[in-house]
Structure formats: structure tokens, C-alpha cells
Amino acid sequence: MTRPVTGRFAPSPTGRMHLGNIYAALMAWLSARSQGGRFILRIEDIDPQRSRAEYARFIEDDLHWLGIDWDERHVQSERYDIYEQHLKRLQEMSLTYPCYCTRADILSTQAPHESDGRVVYRGTCRPEGIGTVSLSSSSSSVHPSFSCGRKPSTRIFVPDRDISFTDGTYGRQTINLARHCGDFVLRRADGAWAYQLAVVVDDALMGVTEVVRGRDLLLSVPQQMYLLSLLGYPSPAFRHIPLLCNTSGQRLSKRDKSMDMAVLRQRFTPEELLGVLAHIIGITGDAAPLSANELLSRFSWDALELKEDKYLSISDL
């Protein structure tokens, strides 16, 4: 039986949204709504050091201003007990282990992955036999930092296995878990939940059937599909979209203040901003003002050529 289409936008409230965030939200919303589907807003505030309630309020206000609506709203910081239950399930499979390595430790022992700068964890703290036998408490290796009182993160073992999937934009992908992802963190040393666990649990329990997001998260798919398979959940369809970048070739970020919503709302009406964005993306042939609902009537994935990143300066808007 086919599941009803459910899309989502899952921003982190660590600053004011910028044009790249709006682009991702718009594409996810257009995709779900064009199929008659549901749309979820999920505030991903699991990083206690950077997340702020006022930024979450700005996110909702900016989306309302643009005419992007949602059927459900969830906040990750209210779901910690759910993540704890799922972590325990993975621990019972004897696939997790404590890791005392810091980011500096990892960076000092390995060069970044050649394709994207990602550093793959080499398994310094991985117990012998994990993934092939049921581990006892005596089989865990002891990192030198254990005696210094450093708190560990919790990592999950990944096998030397290829994960294949078809991305809606970039086609067939085959990524090896061990070589390209490595054992990854489920819970940080400071107790904060890691993105990969939280997003998998939330997408599964919220019934998300399609994930539309930036191509910078393409390598997260095999990690997420691996966790979904372990937990017995179906995988959503994935469609990664090219990034909006500044003229230096860097993806837009909250440091690009000229592109954030505080500035853009002073320069444009909602319809003007959506019209410009639709033209940049290639949905429309010009930048004529359009409401979100008017844009929805013109939207079709089949009509878009989304392969290359878009390089913008403020003068392009």
C-alpha cells in the first residue's frame, strides 16, 4: 500500500534564515503540496549551545510571511525520551560503543576524504569483534582519555557495505558505509543528540515519505538508510537539490548577512522575493512577483534542470 506523501522542512534555529534556507523550504513545500501531500515543520534544536528560541520564532514568522504553511509542527528538544528509547534499541544490538576521541584527535590522524573534505573516523575506540559477535563488557577497548575522566560520545559500528539508492536529482548512487562514512556518532560527549539519529527517528515516526534538501547532505543518506534498516523503518525517497552559493563558491550561510531574511524582508515583498527565487531556480522565465500558491500552480520537477549550484551576489537579487 502506498503511503500518503509527506514532506518536511527541518531548520536549525541557530540564526536568522537566509535565501538558501528559503530555497530549501520552498522546494520541499512545492514538492509535497504539488502531490496533494502533507507538510511538516520540524525545529531541529538539538544543539543546546547554538539553538535559540527567538530564532525558532523568526523561522515560523518568515515562513508565514512567505505563505509557506504546514500541517504539523514538531520541536526536537521535546523528543529526547524518544531518541533515548531508540538508542537503547541500537545498544541492545551490540553495535554501539563509547568513543573518547575529540574532533582534534580525529583530524590529527587522518586527511579529509578526497571528494568532499569529510573526515572518516578510523575506529580508534572500536572494540574488537564488534559487528560479528555479541560483545561483553570486557571486550571494549580502553582509550587513554578514559583515565583522564573525559566523557565519551556514543558511536555506531558500520559494516563494509555498499548502500545504493536513487536520488531524485542526481540519479543512482552507491556509497560504501565503511569507506565514505565510517562509524558515526549517535550521541555527543556533552549528551546532545546527534543529527543522524534524531533525523532518522523523527522522519520515521512522523511518516515522512520524501526528503527534499541541499546536495551537501547527500552523503548522509547511507548513514540514515543504515539506521532505518536496523530500526525496522522504511526509507523515504530522497531528492537533493543544488546549492545557492556566494560569488566565492561557498554555499550561503548565516554569515552572509546580505542574504538573510532580516535584510531581504526590508527589500522585497513576499511575492517579489518568491518571484526572484523562482527565476533563479528556473521555475519561471522571469522574476515577476508571484505568491506561493501561484508558484505552486507552475511547479513541476520534470520541467527543472537542477544539476549545477547557483552562484549569487546581492546584485543578482
Side-chain angles (χ1 to χ4, degrees):
M1 184 168 124
T2 303
R3 294 189 291 165
V5 173
T6 300
R8 50 82 159 171
F9 175 53
S12 298
T14 57
R16 195 70 183 263
M17 286 198 297
H18 55 74
L19 192 65
N21 301 133
I22 295 304
Y23 160 55
L26 179 65
M27 297 301 279
W29 181 83
L30 288 171
S31 183
R33 293 303 196 209
S34 67
Q35 300 172 78
R38 297 165 57 252
F39 193 66
I40 292 171
L41 173 65
R42 187 170 70 227
I43 303 298
E44 298 198 336
D45 60 345
I46 52 175
D47 187 338
Q49 297 177 0
R50 300 176 61 226
S51 298
R52 298 288 184 271
E54 60 266 31
Y55 291 138
R57 290 191 291 270
F58 278 133
I59 287 170
E60 294 184 41
D61 184 64
D62 288 338
L63 293 175
H64 277 305
W65 182 78
L66 288 163
I68 296 175
D69 63 349
W70 53 89
D71 302 293
E72 295 178 18
R73 173 187 173 275
H74 299 276
V75 180
Q76 284 190 330
S77 60
E78 299 172 356
R79 300 172 59 81
Y80 287 178
D81 289 347
I82 297 173
Y83 307 145
E84 187 77 57
Q85 294 165 13
H86 284 78
L87 177 61
K88 287 179 179 177
R89 287 174 58 184
L90 294 168
Q91 289 172 329
E92 289 168 357
M93 298 175 193
S94 297
L95 292 175
T96 66
Y97 59 91
C99 176
Y100 294 89
C101 297
T102 65
R103 180 170 177 78
D105 292 335
I106 297 168
L107 290 172
S108 68
T109 59
Q110 186 170 0
H113 189 273
E114 61 181 0
S115 63
D116 65 351
R118 172 183 297 215
V119 175
V120 177
Y121 182 63
R122 288 192 176 210
T124 304
C125 292
R126 183 193 300 149
E128 293 183 7
I130 192 169
T132 58
V133 297
S134 179
L135 295 175
S136 65
S137 58
S138 61
S139 65
S140 297
S141 59
V142 178
H143 190 280
S145 295
F146 177 80
S147 60
C148 300
R150 181 186 294 172
K151 291 183 178 180
S153 61
T154 301
R155 285 187 186 270
I156 188 164
F157 163 81
V158 301
D160 184 5
R161 179 190 304 166
D162 287 343
I163 298 286
S164 295
F165 62 96
T166 300
D167 184 74
T169 300
Y170 295 102
R172 192 67 174 170
Q173 306 286 316
T174 298
I175 299 171
N176 184 272
L177 280 169
R179 291 197 303 273
H180 296 96
C181 303
D183 298 352
F184 56 93
V185 172
L186 300 178
R187 195 172 198 173
R188 294 186 342 200
D190 62 2
W193 293 103
Y195 166 77
Q196 301 294 7
L197 178 65
V199 73
V200 158
V201 171
D202 286 345
D203 282 348
L205 297 186
M206 294 173 192
V208 171
T209 63
E210 68 168 28
V211 173
V212 177
R213 61 190 181 188
R215 67 156 181 81
D216 53 317
L217 289 169
L218 189 62
L219 266 182
S220 288
V221 174
Q223 295 164 292
Q224 292 167 13
M225 291 182 67
Y226 175 58
L227 286 181
L228 286 164
S229 66
L230 291 175
L231 293 167
Y233 292 129
S235 177
F238 292 96
R239 184 183 290 271
H240 291 80
I241 54 179
L243 304 178
L244 298 187
C245 300
N246 61 28
T247 52
S248 298
Q250 301 167 317
R251 66 176 181 176
L252 294 185
S253 73
K254 286 161 184 160
R255 293 186 297 273
D256 293 295
K257 296 300 182 183
S258 62
M259 297 284 188
D260 82 15
M261 286 300 291
V263 173
L264 295 175
R265 284 180 67 160
Q266 293 177 2
R267 292 191 56 201
F268 299 99
T269 67
E271 294 78 13
E272 287 170 342
L273 183 57
L274 288 175
V276 169
L277 189 54
H279 180 53
I280 291 169
I281 297 167
I283 298 175
T284 57
D286 57 38
L290 289 169
S291 69
N293 284 327
E294 288 172 329
L295 192 52
L296 180 59
S297 67
R298 302 187 182 201
F299 176 77
S300 168
W301 284 116
D302 293 337
L304 293 178
E305 289 291 335
L306 287 176
K307 295 293 184 183
E308 303 297 329
D309 294 341
K310 309 290 184 179
Y311 296 89
L312 304 173
S313 69
I314 193 64
S315 62
D316 295 322
L317 302 183

